[in-house]
Amino acid sequence: MFETLKTAPADPILGLTEAFKKDPRAEKINLGVGIYKDEGGTTPILSCVKKAESRLLQEESTKSYLGIEGTEEYGRSVQRLLFGNDHPIVTGSRAQSAHAPGGTGALRIAAEFIARQLSSRRIWVSDPTWANHANVFQAAGLEVVSYRYYDADAKDLDFAGMMTALKQVSPGDTVLLHGCCHNPTGIDPTPEQWEILAKCAAEGGWLPLFDFAYQGFATGIDEDAAGLKSFAEHNPEMLIASSFSKNFGLYNERVGCLTLVADDSARAMAAFSQIKSIIRTVYSNPPYHGAGIVTIILNDSALRTEWEGEVAQMRERIRDMRELFVASLKARGVTRDFSFIGRQHGMFSFSGLNPEQVAALKRDHAVYIVGSGRISVAGMTRSNMDALCDAIAKVL
Ligand code: LMR
């Protein structure tokens, strides 16, 4: 039966990593996938993670199944991380959380929930958005439509265009929002704009679904939840897909969480029971290890402080790389204005490089970036910066 099957196209992000690994050139640079690298070019295990992990290994006494949603402690820790300890959503038990395998797992469960339980199967995503969003939502049977987000000329958010599009959203539709560090543009709404968007959702009667994969990478752990909190103030219901791949560096442990917020505790429990039914048919119940590490760190004040320091270090190193990148291109006589890269947040920037320039970077200089022109700034280091900027100056 298999002889009739055709080869699937390579994934635009992870397929690039496969090609990068096979490239024999020693000087190759991978700015494709969003993985943090330190100055030495490695993806470190955070020191707080190592400590929590060794405690977990000493203390755990069973490998028995978890409940369908994972542990209650993990769910509560994630809710406090999102909203703060004293937020009415937390104190009023208006949220329920399920540990999902990675942010992608959380998004897929959210998509299945929307497809099976809600009145509209339409989801709106920003244009552009993460290359895998449409695939994940379509796989669950959702209709994916886009709203305007990016002004390519100004290299900035087209907020007026975004608002015009979001006013067209029908009541009951879902709108996907990036909690912070928009992937791929690195451009987020301001706190004032978040407030306007939150009111627009309430007036339009649409369901906000937050993809929150970079909490702590823009300005700070709490500051980065400003948009989410604005929505919580004006909207009784929402879904949040958290990922702890980046901010805990737990990429291969697949730690994510799907949080459902309703207007009271009983409604949250009823809606969440449907999420549990979906999980049971997809992966039955979640793995423990990564969530165990996150739970220990978030509930131990010394480890939590250490974690916040390590997130700040990653955030600041990326910010330094943004500045160095802009300055290094300028030093090479590049006249095109790349200063917008210094104003963006998180791991990514939309460079404005076209597909031919992206192809030439890979072919002639062993520099890998995503076809859309998205650059993972988190992969830049002081040692690869000269080679990178020489290459870009040549292909421009
Ligand atoms: C990315 O956008 O590079 C990351 O979120 C990793 C991935 O799975 O695509």
Side-chain angles (χ1 to χ4, degrees), residues 128 148-159 182 184-188 322 325 336-345 348-354 357 372-375 396:
R148 190 156 161 83
Y149 191 82
Y150 181 61
D151 179 340
D153 295 329
K155 307 264 188 308
D156 210 342
L157 177 64
D158 177 2
F159 188 66
H182 182 269
T185 66
I187 303 164
D188 297 323
R322 286 182 180 279
F325 180 62
R336 194 198 285 192
D337 180 19
F338 279 98
S339 61
F340 61 90
I341 289 182
R343 295 192 294 273
Q344 297 167 346
H345 292 136
F348 306 114
S349 270
F350 225 30
S351 64
L353 295 174
N354 64 33
Q357 292 164 333
S372 63
R374 187 193 81 170
I375 291 186
L396 280 177

Side-chain angles (χ1 to χ4, degrees), residues 43 74 112 152 154 208 211 218 247 250 257 261 279 374 385:
T43 304
Y74 174 70
E112 294 287 344
D211 184 348
N247 51 10
L250 286 167
C257 191
V261 176
I279 290 174
R374 187 193 81 170
M385 192 61 82

Side-chain angles (χ1 to χ4, degrees), residues 11 13-14 32-35 104 130-132 183 214 246 348 374:
D11 181 80
I13 297 174
L14 298 187
V33 67
I35 298 180
T104 309
W130 179 46
N132 205 26
N183 178 1
Y214 301 93
K246 329 278 173 168
F348 306 114
R374 187 193 81 170

Side-chain angles (χ1 to χ4, degrees), residues 311-325:
V311 173
Q313 258 174 30
M314 291 192 274
R315 178 173 68 237
E316 279 152 23
R317 200 195 78 77
I318 296 173
R319 205 175 291 153
D320 289 351
M321 288 304 102
R322 286 182 180 279
E323 282 167 19
L324 187 61
F325 180 62

